[in-house]
Amino acid sequence: MAEMKSPTKAEPAPPAEAVQDDRRDLLEHSREFLDFFWDIAKPEQETRLQATEKLLEYLRTRPSGSEMKYALKRLVTGLGMGREAARPCYSLALAQLLQSFEDIPLCSILTQIQEKYNLQTANKAMLRPALFANLFGVLALFQSGRLVKDQEALMKSVRLLNILSHHNNHLQGQPLKVLVDILSKVPESMFEEILPKVLKDDLKVILSSPKYLELFLLAKQRVPAKLESLVGSVDLFSEENIPSLVNVLKMAAKSVRKEQKLPDVSLSLLRLSLKENKFTLFWKEVVEQGLLKKLSWSTSYMCFRLLGASLPLLSEEQLQLVMRGDLIRHFGEHAVISKPQNLFKFVPEISKYVSIFLEGCQDDPKRQFAMMVAFTSITNQGLPVMPTFWHVTRFLSSEALQSYVAWLRDMFLQPDLDSLVDFSTTNQKRAQDASINVPERCVLRLRKWIIHRLVSLVDHLHLEKDDAVVDQVARFCLFHAFFKTKKATPQIPETKQHFSFPLDNRNRSVIISSFFSLLQTLSVKFRQSPDLNESGKPWTYRLVQFADMLLNHSRNVTLVTPFTTQQRQAWDQMMSTLKELEAQSSETRSIAFQHLLLLVGLHLFKSPTESCDVLGDIQTCIKKSMEQNPRRSRSRAKASQEPVWVDVMVEILLSLLAQPSNLMRQVVRNVFGHICSHLTPRGLQLILAVLIPETNEDEDDNVVVTDDTSEKQLEHGEDEGSDSEDDKNSDSDMDSDDGAESEEEDRDKDVQPGFRQRLMEVLQAGNALGGVDSEDEEEELGDEAMMALDQNLSSLFAEQKLHIQARQEEKNKVQKEKKLRRDFQIRVLDLIEVLVTKQPEHPLVLELLEPLLSIIQHNMRSKGSSKQEQDLLHKTARIFMHHLCRARHYCHEVGPCAEALHAQVERLVQRAGSQTDTSVALYCFNASLYLLRVLKGNTAKKHQDGQVLQGADTKPEPKDPELSHQAQTANCLDLNFVTRVYSAALESLLTKRNSPLTVPMFLSLFSRYPVICKNLLPILLQHVADPLRPRHQAQACTLLQKTLSARELRVCFEDPEWEQLIGQVLEKVTQTLHTLGEAQSKGEHQRELSTLELLNSLFKTVNHEKMSVDLTSLLGMLQSKQQKLQQNLKQGNHSSGSNRLYDLYWQAMRMLGVQRPKSEKKNARDIPSDSQSPISMKRKKKGFLPETKKRKKLKSKDATPEKDAASGQDVVMADATPAAGGTDQPPSTGKKKRKRGKANTPSQVNGTPVTKSPAPNNPTLNPSTPAKTPKLQKKKEKLSQVNGTTPVSPIEPEGKKHYQKALPTKEVLRKTPQSSLPRKRARLSLVNRSPSLFQSGVKKRKVARKKVQTP
């Protein structure tokens, strides 16, 4: 019915009879059927498809009913809806309906559409919806697949589309597009019949619109004879028609500008030119001479897309024409000048076209090779415009890849600049600097790109790697990086390679960096077969053998930087050590040492002086580490005062980490993982000396951190400068304006204190400064004096300028050193991470706690916010928390150092308490907890034979004396000492005003070590009743609440001790609650909340443990505070938490059996007071239900509102004094119930039990007393059972046996009781459960289950 209330604008107003018919049809259909049409118009595609499927299923069951007629009517109506997004939805639904029910005639649907949306009678406002309704109607008929089979409907649709094509303002050529789609599917005979009606015989009209031209090309493809008879013989690529073709293509490019796709008419013209063998004419005259003359972005992108789409269609000669013409130069210029952040950069899109081309001609490697060479040849002053890392190379076949690598190698050796399609940008042409465009510069740029492309090709080989290609590239890079040819020899093919342009040092440095990048690729990319070639050896080993062969052929090959005698001896000794390691290749440690030795050996060519000493030390360490007894070697080293080999290896690894090489970093991590088990304290101190800020901020580090960025900037400076010449002119002005103010400020800061004084002296010496009346003196100053003054001023300012530059250079140097130091520290942290993860049981791990804390503390205190400092902090914190403090394994041999560890625990706790930042204190506190775990020992490892531990850190005493002795020896924890340490910390938390310690820290301590918690409970009890510090009282109550509810603590107490503790806590809480409702500050209010939460937790513990506690005084005190709390709630004192306090109060009263009065809750919410806050004044009553709409309360006639209040009388426990004189009333259930057969009882006022009349369940023999319901009888029986007496019915004699349901006894409850405080929804569970404090858990579950079942 909602559909009829909101008709769309597209629906014309029907006559009165039609409206009545529509309403009658709506009444006949179900709501489910009508909802289908609402869902069809929704924007979610999944919802639309599901609604359409459900509609079709619904109509299949009733194909001849009124539903079909109504569905067609609704779908036709939806074609012209006002919401544009809904029209295609209804069109698609109508198409699927016509496809499913082929008996529906299409002509009737088309007639219905034209009658509903008549273009002749539609006014101006309804014309646009009517046009779209007709268009989408024809489109629905076509999408159904039946239109091409129905000739009558097809002809009507064509005529309708011809009419719609005249309304171009609204439809924008869409009718002709639909017409072309329809005609492409119809048979040729029908096409010939329709063609004269849709296409005119005037060629000017055909060449005036892209749609007409596309229709002409379609007819020329399918019915050329009929087209020739209609239009005549037409040559589209004649000189007269080429300008019209250019204009049509420009119009087509603008029409698809938003869609960012290739127009269909341009691709059709390309195919026609290929068919008529006129591609050269089309490409040169139409594309290059026509479209590229007056460039626009839409035209350029259409030409680029046409280039990409034409690649699979062209022959080799045509590809050469396309890839060496003006369009490809225009594409290269676009690739150079477009910014990387520009959304319209076309390189990613052309890469997709090239990928399609390469993937489609896998069986033709020549075409693949020609395509790669063509795109590589597009250069800007020698530098190819395509990226070096091009993902399309993964589609190359093996033969094409080898040919392409050979071509790249030949171009590197003998660059053929004439074969390149080189161009210069507009700004480069404007500069016309002859020194830049020299061939040597172009060769340098080309060789630099080629060497990077060769390395990227190896990176793209993935798992299907070709060892021949990898070997060729690696040998090529190694040979030309470090060697040069003296005399060619057939044994070394690289010696036959000659350079047409000599290889300078800049190119050689690029090859060196690319070679080591290739080594990293070989070690990382092929990780499944770890950088092994087909012979089973690492690629580095094979390259070292190749280098050794080159060194041995000294007649034919020589080094660029020849080795000295010592360096050559180090190389030969390394080769002999490799042979020894190869004999022990089964050990993983020998493999790691071999990898390190190979990598350092290859670095001997790059930096021979530094690597020579490192290589000798590594070989010495390897020989000592491979001895049979490393402990004996350590003792020998101590006796001979020689450093242990592990310490030397650590120094070597630190020096290697200083190099900016990721491959070296990975190798160092791998090697250190094999030797960290032999780490000594001195080796650890070498690592920590780099990390601890106090020792390396003011002193020079022992390790020199190398940086290659300056060299790389020199290498790339010239190229990047030439590449960015286009941007310099536009950015220079902005940079100069922005940096003017900052430069002036820096100059003012760098001015020397005596500079102003010297400037005044110079000016006074030259008489440049005078008084007010010193005009005559100024006139007498001659030319010579002025020249002398200028010379003095210029020398003074030149000195000051040099001083400013020196200070700036010193500042930049300090910043650079700091950056390098931070990067080096991040790398060294890898060693700490390896030690903690691979050797967590090593005793030296315990010495990492305080240094790591110092790093964290220093970085959090420092004001630097650079990314490096943040990375260092995050990595240190991750290692400290995740890999160290939360490790599953830890050191067990702590007996000799137990005293030192206890002292360290004390230092860490004191350090946590002295922090100013809570986060740093948390790290220190967690470190102390980790040491407690180490001191306590892993007894689970001792008792694997069958003893099961209870809880995470709590252990029952073993009955076997031998096991008991083992547990005592494993536990080195001094409980008294630790208790004193943490008691001082707890006192600090509960006394200091701004303590960095927090409640969650101690909760973590208490949950892990309940024995310590037991010893700290007296301190918490002491501070619960301390009235001087409300905030600390609240913290103590929170700690007690969370702690007493933990079952780990319950195990540490015997039953009498536990009951005594609960009684003491209740006594302290009772003292604190004397000030309930008198809070004036935020801290006092928080104390009241925490105290009531603790009280409710105690009540649940008492209930769960079935304890006997006297709560009479507590109940009386709470009842006395009721009026005060209610008054505070009305006045709005502490309105943010007053409702919470009031709810907690009544939660406690319910646990004592006192029902919350409903009138109070209603008054507190609805009745406004004078002191109401402005926020609450805005909350007005939104509305109300009339009396006729309210649900009737199903109560018996005798039931009165007073009964509900009277049922909430309080109940006391055994050995407790009654709350009211002589009354013993049943506990209230806290909810509305149907109460049958009860006598009227006086009402309860403000939650206070009424004592004037006896309670209904008072033991009496009065026959007029109504009998109890079974539910009340069960409650009474349960109450008597808890109080220790046998329940006696007031009607039956005492001697009669009562059948009561026995509760399940839970003996395990005493041993491992469950938590008495529920984890979730404590407040809701209190409201839903029975308020009696004496009900068992089984009874509570029964009552809750019954409440759920109650409707």
Side-chain angles (χ1 to χ4, degrees):
M1 299 298 294
E3 178 74 16
M4 299 302 298
K5 292 181 181 179
S6 58
T8 59
K9 293 182 179 180
E11 300 178 8
E17 296 180 359
V19 173
Q20 293 180 0
D21 293 341
D22 292 343
R23 292 176 180 174
R24 192 179 304 111
D25 292 342
L26 283 173
L27 294 176
E28 292 177 358
H29 304 306
S30 63
R31 180 75 265 174
E32 178 186 6
F33 176 69
L34 297 177
D35 287 341
F36 293 153
F37 303 100
W38 287 95
D39 294 340
I40 287 175
K42 287 185 178 180
E44 296 83 8
Q45 182 180 3
E46 197 67 29
T47 306
R48 297 198 306 264
L49 295 177
Q50 291 179 1
T52 306
E53 293 177 1
K54 292 179 181 179
L55 176 63
L56 295 178
E57 293 177 0
Y58 186 87
L59 292 177
R60 287 191 186 101
T61 59
R62 306 169 180 83
S64 59
S66 60
E67 288 83 358
M68 179 64 71
K69 179 181 178 182
Y70 181 77
L72 291 173
K73 183 178 179 182
R74 281 293 299 269
L75 293 177
V76 169
T77 305
L79 296 175
M81 290 188 66
R83 290 186 295 117
E84 296 183 359
R87 298 168 188 164
C89 308
Y90 281 103
S91 176
L92 181 61
L94 180 60
Q96 294 185 3
L97 178 63
L98 295 176
Q99 185 180 6
S100 301
F101 299 93
E102 297 185 357
D103 55 339
I104 302 176
L106 297 183
C107 293
S108 63
I109 301 298
L110 191 59
T111 304
Q112 189 176 353
I113 294 172
Q114 291 178 338
E115 291 177 356
K116 179 70 176 178
Y117 299 100
N118 194 346
L119 299 178
Q120 306 296 332
T121 60
N123 53 19
K124 187 176 181 180
M126 304 299 297
L127 180 61
R128 180 179 174 84
L131 290 172
F132 276 103
N134 284 273
L135 177 63
F136 280 110
V138 176
L139 190 60
L141 300 182
F142 173 64
Q143 290 177 345
S144 67
R146 298 171 49 194
L147 185 61
V148 295
K149 303 176 184 178
D150 192 344
Q151 186 175 2
E152 181 181 359
L154 178 61
M155 299 303 293
K156 290 184 178 180
S157 300
V158 170
R159 285 194 295 268
L160 180 57
L161 290 175
N162 278 330
I163 297 173
L164 295 176
S165 62
H166 298 295
H167 299 275
N168 195 30
N169 293 333
H170 296 287
L171 301 179
Q172 298 179 356
Q174 293 298 322
L176 290 178
K177 183 178 180 181
V178 176
L179 182 60
V180 171
D181 294 338
I182 293 175
L183 294 179
S184 62
K185 301 294 183 181
V186 299
E188 294 183 0
S189 59
M190 196 174 296
F191 195 171
E192 294 178 355
E193 184 179 354
I194 298 174
L195 185 60
K197 301 178 181 178
V198 297
L199 187 64
K200 298 181 179 180
D201 55 355
D202 190 358
L203 187 60
K204 294 183 179 180
V205 177
I206 295 174
L207 295 178
S208 63
S209 171
K211 299 302 177 183
Y212 284 116
L213 179 59
E214 188 175 358
L215 185 60
F216 173 83
L217 295 175
L218 179 63
K220 193 174 185 61
Q221 178 185 357
R222 299 199 60 190
V223 285
K226 182 66 177 178
L227 179 65
E228 186 176 357
S229 63
L230 179 64
V231 184
S233 180
V234 177
D235 184 10
L236 287 178
F237 302 106
S238 61
E239 294 183 1
E240 297 84 6
N241 296 332
I242 284 180
S244 301
L245 287 179
V246 172
N247 294 331
V248 169
L249 289 177
K250 289 183 178 180
M251 293 169 57
K254 292 181 181 179
S255 64
V256 295
R257 181 174 51 188
K258 293 183 179 180
E259 291 82 359
Q260 296 183 6
K261 65 177 184 178
L262 179 65
D264 296 334
V265 63
S266 60
L267 189 58
S268 300
L269 279 174
L270 174 67
R271 289 174 176 168
L272 180 62
S273 64
L274 290 172
K275 184 178 180 180
E276 296 181 354
N277 296 326
K278 296 181 180 180
F279 174 77
T280 304
L281 178 64
F282 168 74
W283 194 260
K284 287 186 176 180
E285 298 296 333
V286 177
V287 177
E288 294 182 349
Q289 299 297 328
L291 295 176
L292 296 183
K293 273 190 176 180
K294 295 182 179 180
L295 286 175
S296 62
W297 284 117
S298 58
T299 307
S300 298
Y301 285 121
M302 184 190 68
C303 293
F304 296 157
R305 293 187 179 98
L306 186 62
L307 168 66
S310 65
L311 294 179
L313 307 176
L314 305 181
S315 61
E316 293 185 7
E317 295 80 7
Q318 293 168 345
L319 280 175
Q320 291 294 327
L321 172 65
V322 170
M323 297 304 296
R324 304 189 66 85
D326 295 337
L327 179 60
I328 207 66
R329 287 186 172 85
H330 177 54
F331 167 74
E333 186 176 359
H334 165 76
V336 171
I337 65 175
S338 60
K339 302 291 184 181
Q341 65 271 15
N342 193 356
L343 297 178
F344 299 101
K345 191 172 183 179
F346 197 75
V347 173
E349 192 168 347
I350 199 67
S351 301
K352 296 179 181 178
Y353 286 111
V354 176
S355 300
I356 295 173
F357 173 83
L358 295 177
E359 195 173 5
C361 57
Q362 290 286 337
D363 54 345
D364 192 354
K366 292 183 179 180
R367 285 177 62 86
Q368 288 186 336
F369 170 68
M371 182 57 59
M372 294 303 301
V373 170
F375 273 97
T376 307
S377 301
I378 310 171
T379 58
N380 174 32
Q381 294 184 354
L383 181 65
V385 299
M386 303 308 293
T388 56
F389 192 85
W390 204 17
H391 67 275
V392 301
T393 55
R394 68 178 184 269
F395 297 109
L396 290 175
S397 61
S398 178
E399 183 178 352
L401 180 63
Q402 292 180 359
S403 302
Y404 183 56
V405 169
W407 182 84
L408 288 174
R409 190 171 62 245
D410 295 339
M411 285 294 291
F412 184 88
L413 297 172
Q414 298 178 353
D416 186 7
L417 300 181
D418 296 333
S419 63
L420 302 177
V421 185
D422 198 80
F423 66 93
S424 299
T425 61
T426 305
N427 291 339
Q428 290 172 348
K429 293 177 183 178
R430 192 180 303 152
Q432 292 181 356
D433 191 354
S435 61
I436 294 179
N437 297 324
V438 293
E440 288 79 8
R441 178 177 177 271
C442 297
V443 170
L444 174 65
R445 289 159 60 91
L446 179 61
R447 284 176 173 174
K448 177 183 173 182
W449 186 93
I450 288 176
I451 200 69
H452 289 306
R453 169 57 68 87
L454 287 173
V455 175
S456 69
L457 286 176
V458 177
D459 197 7
H460 269 137
L461 292 180
H462 300 290
L463 296 179
E464 297 85 7
K465 57 183 180 298
D466 192 343
D467 289 338
V469 174
V470 176
D471 190 33
Q472 289 177 14
V473 174
R475 287 167 61 101
F476 181 81
C477 294
L478 176 62
F479 183 85
H480 294 292
F482 306 112
F483 297 91
K484 56 184 178 181
T485 305
K486 294 172 61 177
K487 182 180 180 181
T489 175
Q491 297 179 359
I492 306 174
E494 285 77 12
T495 57
K496 298 180 181 181
Q497 300 171 354
H498 302 285
F499 292 97
S500 58
F501 290 88
L503 194 66
D504 56 358
N505 292 330
R506 287 183 294 178
N507 273 137
R508 203 176 295 277
S509 62
V510 173
I511 302 175
I512 292 173
S513 61
S514 300
F515 171 70
F516 286 102
S517 176
L518 177 63
L519 288 182
Q520 182 179 357
T521 300
L522 293 176
S523 62
V524 175
K525 198 69 179 177
F526 310 133
R527 191 169 288 176
Q528 293 187 2
S529 55
D531 70 349
L532 300 179
N533 57 7
E534 58 185 2
S535 61
K537 298 294 182 181
W539 283 104
T540 51
Y541 185 82
R542 189 170 181 176
L543 291 174
V544 165
Q545 286 182 336
F546 176 64
D548 187 61
M549 182 189 68
L550 294 178
L551 289 175
N552 294 330
H553 286 75
S554 58
R555 295 181 179 179
N556 306 100
V557 178
T558 182
L559 280 169
V560 177
T561 304
F563 280 167
T564 62
T565 305
Q566 183 183 2
Q567 294 168 358
R568 183 57 192 266
Q569 290 177 357
W571 176 267
D572 295 336
Q573 189 177 0
M574 181 200 71
M575 296 302 297
S576 63
T577 307
L578 285 176
K579 294 180 180 179
E580 296 177 2
L581 289 175
E582 190 176 0
Q584 302 176 356
S585 59
S586 59
E587 299 182 6
T588 56
R589 184 170 59 177
S590 63
I591 295 176
F593 285 148
Q594 185 180 3
H595 202 174
L596 177 64
L597 202 61
L598 290 170
L599 190 57
V600 177
L602 289 175
H603 273 80
L604 187 64
F605 296 102
K606 181 180 180 182
S607 53
T609 305
E610 295 84 357
S611 301
C612 182
D613 299 333
V614 175
L615 201 58
D617 294 338
I618 290 176
Q619 296 177 50
T620 305
C621 295
I622 290 175
K623 291 180 180 179
K624 291 184 178 181
S625 66
M626 290 301 176
E627 292 179 358
Q628 296 296 329
N629 193 352
R631 295 184 180 179
R632 186 180 303 173
S633 64
R634 187 180 302 178
S635 62
R636 289 178 183 175
K638 290 181 180 178
S640 61
Q641 299 299 324
E642 293 181 358
V644 185
W645 67 269
V646 178
D647 301 341
V648 179
M649 183 62 77
V650 169
E651 292 182 355
I652 294 172
L653 295 181
L654 288 175
S655 64
L656 295 179
L657 277 178
Q659 300 180 9
S661 171
N662 289 331
L663 177 59
M664 188 67 75
R665 183 178 181 179
Q666 295 171 3
V667 173
V668 168
R669 282 178 61 101
N670 191 15
V671 173
F672 187 76
H674 292 286
I675 68 170
C676 62
S677 59
H678 306 282
L679 189 65
T680 61
R682 184 179 178 276
L684 181 62
Q685 290 303 320
L686 290 174
I687 299 174
L688 294 178
V690 181
L691 296 175
I692 299 177
E694 288 79 9
T695 61
N696 67 345
E697 287 293 334
D698 300 329
E699 301 177 2
D700 294 336
D701 297 332
N702 296 328
V703 180
V704 179
V705 184
T706 59
D707 183 27
D708 297 339
T709 54
S710 60
E711 298 178 1
K712 294 179 181 178
Q713 289 176 359
L714 291 176
E715 294 170 7
H716 300 288
E718 184 180 355
D719 300 332
E720 292 179 355
S722 60
D723 294 339
S724 60
E725 286 174 356
D726 303 331
D727 305 328
K728 282 185 178 179
N729 297 330
S730 60
D731 296 341
S732 59
D733 297 335
M734 296 178 61
D735 294 340
S736 60
D737 295 340
D738 295 339
E741 297 181 359
S742 61
E743 289 178 0
E744 291 178 1
E745 293 177 359
D746 294 339
R747 289 172 184 172
D748 293 339
K749 292 180 182 179
D750 295 334
V751 171
Q752 292 180 351
F755 173 72
R756 301 181 189 275
Q757 183 66 28
R758 284 183 292 167
L759 179 61
M760 295 290 294
E761 293 175 357
V762 170
L763 293 176
Q764 289 176 357
N767 293 327
L769 294 178
V772 181
D773 301 330
S774 59
E775 298 179 359
D776 298 337
E777 297 179 359
E778 292 180 0
E779 293 177 357
E780 293 177 359
L781 194 65
D783 295 339
E784 295 181 357
M786 288 292 295
M787 294 294 294
L789 180 61
D790 291 342
Q791 185 177 2
N792 293 333
L793 288 176
S794 62
S795 61
L796 181 62
F797 279 101
E799 181 183 356
Q800 177 64 17
K801 183 178 180 181
L802 292 176
H803 170 73
I804 293 175
Q805 291 179 354
R807 289 196 60 179
Q808 187 65 30
E809 290 177 358
E810 183 181 0
K811 183 179 179 181
N812 294 337
K813 182 180 179 181
V814 171
Q815 292 292 334
K816 186 176 181 180
E817 290 178 354
K818 185 178 180 181
K819 183 178 179 181
L820 292 175
R821 187 182 298 113
R822 290 288 180 264
D823 184 67
F824 181 51
Q825 288 176 345
I826 293 174
R827 291 171 177 264
V828 173
L829 276 177
D830 292 348
L831 305 182
I832 300 295
E833 185 176 5
V834 170
L835 175 63
V836 172
T837 53
K838 292 199 172 184
Q839 295 292 330
E841 300 182 4
H842 201 288
L844 292 179
V845 173
L846 301 177
E847 299 182 11
L848 294 175
L849 291 174
E850 292 180 310
L852 291 179
L853 284 174
S854 300
I855 299 173
I856 294 173
Q857 183 177 356
H858 175 78
N859 283 277
M860 294 190 74
R861 285 182 179 178
S862 62
K863 298 181 181 179
S865 59
S866 63
K867 185 178 183 301
Q868 277 190 326
E869 294 181 354
Q870 294 296 323
D871 293 342
L872 177 63
L873 175 62
H874 293 163
K875 186 172 184 178
T876 309
R878 177 174 55 84
I879 294 173
F880 182 82
M881 289 300 299
H882 295 280
H883 299 300
L884 185 59
C885 293
R886 298 178 184 175
R888 294 184 178 181
H889 303 281
Y890 47 87
C891 181
H892 301 290
E893 301 175 359
V894 294
C897 58
E899 185 177 354
L901 290 180
H902 281 87
Q904 190 176 6
V905 170
E906 185 177 10
R907 288 198 308 271
L908 289 173
V909 175
Q910 292 177 355
R911 187 174 182 176
S914 61
Q915 297 295 327
T916 57
D917 193 351
T918 305
S919 57
V920 180
L922 178 61
Y923 286 111
C924 299
F925 202 86
N926 285 332
S928 68
L929 296 182
Y930 170 74
L931 288 181
L932 286 183
R933 185 155 64 111
V934 173
L935 286 170
K936 195 169 185 181
N938 191 357
T939 55
K941 188 175 181 181
K942 301 285 184 178
H943 309 311
Q944 289 179 355
D945 298 334
Q947 186 172 357
V948 181
L949 301 180
Q950 298 180 3
D953 294 313
T954 59
K955 293 171 282 294
E957 297 181 359
K959 297 180 181 179
D960 192 355
E962 183 179 356
L963 293 179
S964 176
H965 177 69
Q966 290 178 356
Q968 291 178 1
T969 56
N971 190 351
C972 302
L973 184 63
D974 187 355
L975 188 60
N976 296 328
F977 179 83
V978 173
T979 301
R980 288 196 304 270
V981 171
Y982 284 102
S983 62
L986 186 58
E987 286 282 355
S988 174
L989 171 66
L990 299 178
T991 54
K992 291 181 66 174
R993 186 172 184 178
N994 294 321
S995 176
L997 304 177
T998 59
V999 172
M1001 296 180 188
F1002 285 93
L1003 288 177
S1004 178
L1005 171 68
F1006 294 164
S1007 63
R1008 297 180 185 182
Y1009 308 101
V1011 181
I1012 301 177
C1013 174
K1014 180 181 179 181
N1015 297 336
L1016 298 182
L1017 283 178
I1019 300 177
L1020 294 178
L1021 287 176
Q1022 177 185 354
H1023 288 277
V1024 165
D1026 186 7
L1028 299 179
R1029 301 181 183 275
R1031 184 172 64 87
H1032 294 151
Q1033 276 185 280
Q1035 290 177 341
C1037 291
T1038 302
L1039 276 171
L1040 271 177
Q1041 176 201 354
K1042 302 293 184 182
T1043 304
L1044 294 177
S1045 60
R1047 58 182 176 180
E1048 294 85 3
L1049 181 65
R1050 180 65 181 86
V1051 182
C1052 301
F1053 285 88
E1054 297 293 337
D1055 293 345
E1057 291 181 326
W1058 183 252
E1059 292 184 3
Q1060 183 181 1
L1061 175 64
I1062 296 298
Q1064 292 176 0
V1065 178
L1066 281 173
E1067 183 180 355
K1068 296 291 184 181
V1069 170
T1070 305
Q1071 295 177 12
T1072 309
L1073 288 176
H1074 281 294
T1075 59
L1076 184 63
E1078 302 176 2
Q1080 299 297 329
S1081 63
K1082 184 178 179 181
E1084 293 176 353
H1085 187 70
Q1086 185 63 35
R1087 176 188 61 187
E1088 293 180 351
L1089 288 173
S1090 302
T1091 306
L1092 285 178
E1093 289 176 353
L1094 174 60
L1095 181 63
N1096 290 323
S1097 177
L1098 292 174
F1099 283 167
K1100 292 180 181 179
T1101 303
V1102 170
N1103 183 18
H1104 190 271
E1105 299 280 340
K1106 303 178 183 178
M1107 298 179 183
S1108 299
V1109 183
D1110 186 7
L1111 301 177
T1112 307
S1113 59
L1114 180 60
L1115 176 62
M1117 189 270 299
L1118 288 176
Q1119 289 178 343
S1120 64
K1121 300 295 181 180
Q1122 177 184 351
Q1123 186 175 2
K1124 182 66 175 176
L1125 290 174
Q1126 186 175 358
Q1127 183 179 359
N1128 291 340
L1129 184 64
K1130 289 182 179 180
Q1131 294 177 356
N1133 296 337
H1134 301 284
S1135 58
S1136 60
S1138 57
N1139 292 331
R1140 171 66 177 162
L1141 181 66
Y1142 199 63
D1143 292 339
L1144 287 174
Y1145 169 79
W1146 278 110
Q1147 184 177 340
M1149 294 296 287
R1150 280 198 214 97
M1151 298 294 288
L1152 293 174
V1154 180
Q1155 176 67 22
R1156 181 174 183 174
K1158 302 171 187 175
S1159 58
E1160 294 296 329
K1161 187 174 182 181
K1162 182 177 180 181
N1163 293 338
R1165 179 179 296 179
D1166 296 336
I1167 299 177
S1169 59
D1170 297 336
S1171 61
Q1172 197 171 6
S1173 62
I1175 299 177
S1176 60
M1177 290 293 292
K1178 295 180 182 179
R1179 298 176 181 173
K1180 299 181 180 179
K1181 192 174 182 181
K1182 294 183 179 179
F1184 60 91
L1185 288 174
E1187 294 295 334
T1188 56
K1189 298 293 184 180
K1190 291 183 178 179
R1191 180 176 295 178
K1192 301 296 182 181
K1193 296 183 179 180
L1194 302 177
K1195 288 188 177 183
S1196 60
K1197 296 181 179 180
D1198 297 335
T1200 58
E1202 288 77 4
K1203 287 183 179 181
D1204 295 332
S1207 63
Q1209 305 300 328
D1210 96 34
V1211 180
V1212 294
M1213 302 178 187
D1215 303 332
T1217 308
T1223 59
D1224 186 13
Q1225 299 175 352
S1228 171
T1229 57
K1231 67 175 184 177
K1232 295 182 180 180
K1233 297 179 181 179
R1234 297 185 184 180
K1235 300 182 180 180
R1236 303 171 182 171
K1238 278 194 176 183
N1240 295 336
T1241 56
S1243 62
Q1244 182 182 8
V1245 182
N1246 294 334
T1248 306
V1250 179
T1251 58
K1252 293 183 179 181
S1253 59
N1257 61 345
N1258 218 6
T1260 178
L1261 297 178
N1262 188 1
S1264 63
T1265 304
K1268 296 183 178 68
T1269 60
K1271 194 168 186 179
L1272 293 177
Q1273 181 68 25
K1274 288 183 179 181
K1275 290 183 180 180
K1276 183 63 181 176
E1277 292 173 359
K1278 182 61 186 174
L1279 178 59
S1280 302
Q1281 185 182 8
V1282 173
N1283 293 338
T1285 60
T1286 304
V1288 180
S1289 175
I1291 301 176
E1292 298 177 355
E1294 294 182 4
K1296 190 172 182 179
K1297 184 177 180 181
H1298 291 270
Y1299 294 92
Q1300 58 184 8
K1301 186 175 181 180
L1303 294 176
T1305 58
K1306 297 182 179 180
E1307 296 180 359
V1308 189
L1309 203 60
R1310 287 293 183 181
K1311 298 180 180 178
T1312 57
Q1314 298 294 329
S1315 175
S1316 59
L1317 182 64
R1319 299 297 181 190
K1320 295 181 179 179
R1321 298 192 177 182
R1323 189 175 157 202
L1324 293 178
S1325 62
L1326 286 172
V1327 175
N1328 292 334
R1329 291 180 178 177
S1330 176
S1332 176
L1333 196 59
F1334 312 102
Q1335 290 180 338
S1336 64
V1338 179
K1339 192 68 178 177
K1340 290 181 180 180
R1341 287 193 294 269
K1342 283 188 176 182
V1343 174
R1345 192 182 302 116
K1346 189 168 184 179
K1347 289 180 182 180
V1348 172
Q1349 294 175 357
T1350 303

